[in-house]
Amino acid sequence: MSEFSFTLIFTLPEGQQDPAVWLEALGANGCDDALIGIGVTGRIALDFIREAPTATAAVVSAIEDVKRTVRGAALVEVTPDLVGLTDVAELLGYSRQYMRKVMVNRAAFPAPVHDGKTALWHLESVLRWLRENKVTQVPLPLLELSAVTRQCNLQRELAALDVALQNQLGKLH
Protein backbone atom coordinates (compact mmCIF):
# COMPACT_ATOMS: atom_id res chain seq x y z
CA MET A 1 0.00 0.00 0.00
CA SER A 2 1.18 3.48 -0.85
CA GLU A 3 -0.16 6.84 0.20
CA PHE A 4 -1.31 9.20 -2.57
CA SER A 5 -1.99 12.91 -2.13
CA PHE A 6 -4.24 14.50 -4.76
CA THR A 7 -7.11 16.96 -5.18
CA LEU A 8 -10.46 16.49 -6.90
CA ILE A 9 -12.49 19.55 -7.90
CA PHE A 10 -16.17 19.16 -8.81
CA THR A 11 -18.99 21.44 -9.88
CA LEU A 12 -22.13 20.78 -7.86
CA PRO A 13 -25.48 19.96 -9.46
CA GLU A 14 -27.98 22.73 -10.26
CA GLY A 15 -30.15 23.58 -7.28
CA GLN A 16 -27.69 21.94 -4.86
CA GLN A 17 -24.78 24.33 -5.12
CA ASP A 18 -24.23 25.12 -1.44
CA PRO A 19 -21.07 23.07 -0.80
CA ALA A 20 -21.56 23.15 2.99
CA VAL A 21 -24.61 20.89 2.60
CA TRP A 22 -22.40 18.03 1.38
CA LEU A 23 -19.68 18.02 4.06
CA GLU A 24 -21.22 15.51 6.46
CA ALA A 25 -22.46 13.18 3.71
CA LEU A 26 -19.05 13.08 2.02
CA GLY A 27 -17.34 12.24 5.31
CA ALA A 28 -19.85 9.45 5.98
CA ASN A 29 -19.50 7.99 2.46
CA GLY A 30 -15.79 7.28 2.17
CA CYS A 31 -14.27 10.75 1.93
CA ASP A 32 -13.13 10.96 5.55
CA ASP A 33 -9.54 10.95 4.26
CA ALA A 34 -10.08 14.30 2.51
CA LEU A 35 -9.87 17.90 3.57
CA ILE A 36 -12.89 19.53 1.92
CA GLY A 37 -12.77 23.06 0.56
CA ILE A 38 -16.01 24.99 0.06
CA GLY A 39 -14.77 28.48 -0.78
CA VAL A 40 -16.46 28.81 -4.17
CA THR A 41 -20.23 28.60 -4.60
CA GLY A 42 -21.12 25.78 -6.94
CA ARG A 43 -17.81 23.98 -6.50
CA ILE A 44 -16.22 21.69 -4.00
CA ALA A 45 -12.57 20.67 -3.71
CA LEU A 46 -11.38 17.61 -1.84
CA ASP A 47 -7.70 17.21 -0.87
CA PHE A 48 -7.22 13.48 -0.38
CA ILE A 49 -4.44 11.55 1.29
CA ARG A 50 -5.57 8.05 0.36
CA GLU A 51 -3.88 4.70 0.91
CA ALA A 52 -4.29 2.26 -1.96
CA PRO A 53 -2.32 -0.40 -3.82
CA THR A 54 -2.04 1.88 -6.90
CA ALA A 55 -2.58 5.52 -7.82
CA THR A 56 -5.36 4.44 -10.16
CA ALA A 57 -7.17 2.69 -7.31
CA ALA A 58 -6.77 5.72 -5.05
CA VAL A 59 -8.05 8.30 -7.54
CA VAL A 60 -10.83 6.19 -9.07
CA SER A 61 -12.19 5.14 -5.66
CA ALA A 62 -12.20 8.78 -4.52
CA ILE A 63 -14.08 9.91 -7.64
CA GLU A 64 -16.57 7.07 -7.12
CA ASP A 65 -17.06 8.04 -3.46
CA VAL A 66 -17.82 11.66 -4.39
CA LYS A 67 -20.10 10.85 -7.33
CA ARG A 68 -22.02 8.26 -5.26
CA THR A 69 -22.63 10.91 -2.59
CA VAL A 70 -23.20 14.00 -4.75
CA ARG A 71 -25.21 12.71 -7.69
CA GLY A 72 -24.83 15.00 -10.67
CA ALA A 73 -21.47 16.39 -9.56
CA ALA A 74 -19.16 16.96 -12.53
CA LEU A 75 -15.40 16.47 -12.26
CA VAL A 76 -13.57 19.70 -13.15
CA GLU A 77 -9.95 18.80 -12.44
CA VAL A 78 -7.68 16.27 -10.79
CA THR A 79 -4.35 17.54 -9.44
CA PRO A 80 -1.39 17.41 -9.51
CA ASP A 81 -1.32 17.60 -13.31
CA LEU A 82 -0.72 21.04 -14.81
CA VAL A 83 2.19 22.57 -12.91
CA GLY A 84 4.69 25.39 -13.02
CA LEU A 85 8.35 25.10 -12.07
CA THR A 86 7.58 26.21 -8.51
CA ASP A 87 5.13 23.33 -8.13
CA VAL A 88 7.66 20.81 -9.45
CA ALA A 89 10.34 22.21 -7.14
CA GLU A 90 8.05 21.94 -4.10
CA LEU A 91 7.01 18.38 -4.95
CA LEU A 92 10.64 17.24 -5.26
CA GLY A 93 12.10 19.33 -2.43
CA TYR A 94 14.18 21.70 -4.58
CA SER A 95 14.20 25.46 -5.03
CA ARG A 96 12.46 27.09 -7.99
CA GLN A 97 15.84 28.48 -9.02
CA TYR A 98 17.30 24.97 -9.25
CA MET A 99 14.38 23.75 -11.40
CA ARG A 100 14.72 26.79 -13.68
CA LYS A 101 18.45 26.06 -14.05
CA VAL A 102 17.66 22.46 -15.00
CA MET A 103 15.05 23.64 -17.52
CA VAL A 104 17.23 26.33 -19.13
CA ASN A 105 20.45 24.32 -19.32
CA ARG A 106 18.96 21.24 -20.99
CA ALA A 107 17.67 21.59 -24.53
CA ALA A 108 15.56 18.47 -24.30
CA PHE A 109 13.49 19.62 -21.29
CA PRO A 110 9.83 18.87 -22.10
CA ALA A 111 7.96 21.59 -23.97
CA PRO A 112 5.33 23.31 -21.85
CA VAL A 113 1.62 22.86 -22.51
CA HIS A 114 1.24 26.62 -22.08
CA ASP A 115 4.18 28.93 -22.65
CA GLY A 116 3.11 32.38 -21.53
CA LYS A 117 3.91 34.65 -18.61
CA THR A 118 3.64 31.52 -16.50
CA ALA A 119 4.63 28.31 -18.31
CA LEU A 120 2.75 25.12 -17.46
CA TRP A 121 3.73 21.49 -17.98
CA HIS A 122 2.05 18.19 -17.42
CA LEU A 123 3.73 16.97 -14.24
CA GLU A 124 4.07 13.48 -15.69
CA SER A 125 6.15 14.78 -18.64
CA VAL A 126 8.56 16.63 -16.38
CA LEU A 127 8.92 13.77 -13.88
CA ARG A 128 9.54 11.20 -16.63
CA TRP A 129 12.16 13.47 -18.22
CA LEU A 130 13.90 14.09 -14.87
CA ARG A 131 13.93 10.35 -14.18
CA GLU A 132 15.05 9.25 -17.67
CA ASN A 133 17.82 11.87 -17.74
CA LYS A 134 18.93 10.95 -14.23
CA VAL A 135 18.61 14.55 -13.03
CA THR A 136 17.02 13.45 -9.77
CA GLN A 137 15.32 10.55 -8.06
CA VAL A 138 11.60 10.74 -8.71
CA PRO A 139 9.38 8.92 -6.21
CA LEU A 140 7.53 6.23 -8.16
CA PRO A 141 4.19 6.83 -6.38
CA LEU A 142 4.34 10.50 -7.46
CA LEU A 143 5.17 9.54 -11.04
CA GLU A 144 2.32 7.00 -11.04
CA LEU A 145 -0.09 9.56 -9.57
CA SER A 146 0.88 12.21 -12.15
CA ALA A 147 0.13 9.75 -14.96
CA VAL A 148 -3.31 8.99 -13.49
CA THR A 149 -4.25 12.64 -12.89
CA ARG A 150 -3.19 13.53 -16.44
CA GLN A 151 -5.36 10.73 -17.86
CA CYS A 152 -8.35 11.88 -15.76
CA ASN A 153 -8.03 15.45 -17.06
CA LEU A 154 -7.49 14.33 -20.66
CA GLN A 155 -10.58 12.11 -20.49
CA ARG A 156 -12.62 15.08 -19.26
CA GLU A 157 -11.26 17.31 -22.05
CA LEU A 158 -11.93 14.68 -24.72
CA ALA A 159 -15.64 14.85 -23.88
CA ALA A 160 -15.65 18.34 -25.46
CA LEU A 161 -13.82 17.21 -28.59
CA ASP A 162 -15.26 18.36 -31.94
CA VAL A 163 -14.53 15.32 -34.10
CA ALA A 164 -15.13 17.12 -37.42
CA LEU A 165 -12.75 19.94 -36.50
CA GLN A 166 -10.18 17.46 -35.23
CA ASN A 167 -10.33 15.59 -38.55
CA GLN A 168 -9.70 18.85 -40.41
CA LEU A 169 -6.80 19.74 -38.13
CA GLY A 170 -5.37 16.25 -38.45
CA LYS A 171 -5.07 16.72 -42.22
CA LEU A 172 -2.82 19.76 -41.66
CA HIS A 173 0.00 17.67 -40.21
Side-chain angles (χ1 to χ4, degrees), residues 19-98:
V21 170
W22 299 105
L23 294 178
E24 195 169 311
L26 286 164
N29 288 301
C31 298
D32 55 346
D33 55 352
L35 180 64
I36 302 173
I38 57 171
V40 177
T41 300
R43 289 198 176 191
I44 196 163
L46 300 98
D47 278 333
F48 283 91
I49 299 175
R50 182 160 284 200
E51 285 188 23
T54 65
T56 300
V59 172
V60 169
S61 67
I63 293 171
E64 289 172 343
D65 289 344
V66 173
K67 289 187 92 53
R68 185 180 56 248
T69 306
V70 186
R71 300 206 185 271
L75 186 62
V76 174
E77 185 177 8
V78 182
T79 69
D81 178 21
L82 293 175
V83 294
L85 287 180
T86 302
D87 302 313
V88 176
E90 287 177 6
L91 286 167
L92 297 176
Y94 294 113
S95 67
R96 184 191 186 291
Q97 291 77 15
Y98 174 75

Side-chain angles (χ1 to χ4, degrees), residues 81-85 87 111-116 118-122 126:
D81 178 21
L82 293 175
V83 294
L85 287 180
D87 302 313
V113 174
H114 172 74
D115 196 9
T118 302
L120 296 174
W121 290 263
H122 284 290
V126 174

Side-chain angles (χ1 to χ4, degrees), residues 137-153:
Q137 295 279 330
V138 174
L140 282 178
L142 180 59
L143 180 58
E144 181 187 357
L145 179 64
S146 69
V148 171
T149 58
R150 183 178 187 181
Q151 289 301 310
C152 289
N153 292 325

Side-chain angles (χ1 to χ4, degrees), residues 157-173:
E157 287 295 317
L158 286 174
L161 194 67
D162 180 333
V163 176
L165 177 58
Q166 291 302 315
N167 287 336
Q168 281 184 311
L169 293 172
K171 293 175 183 172
L172 299 176
H173 294 283

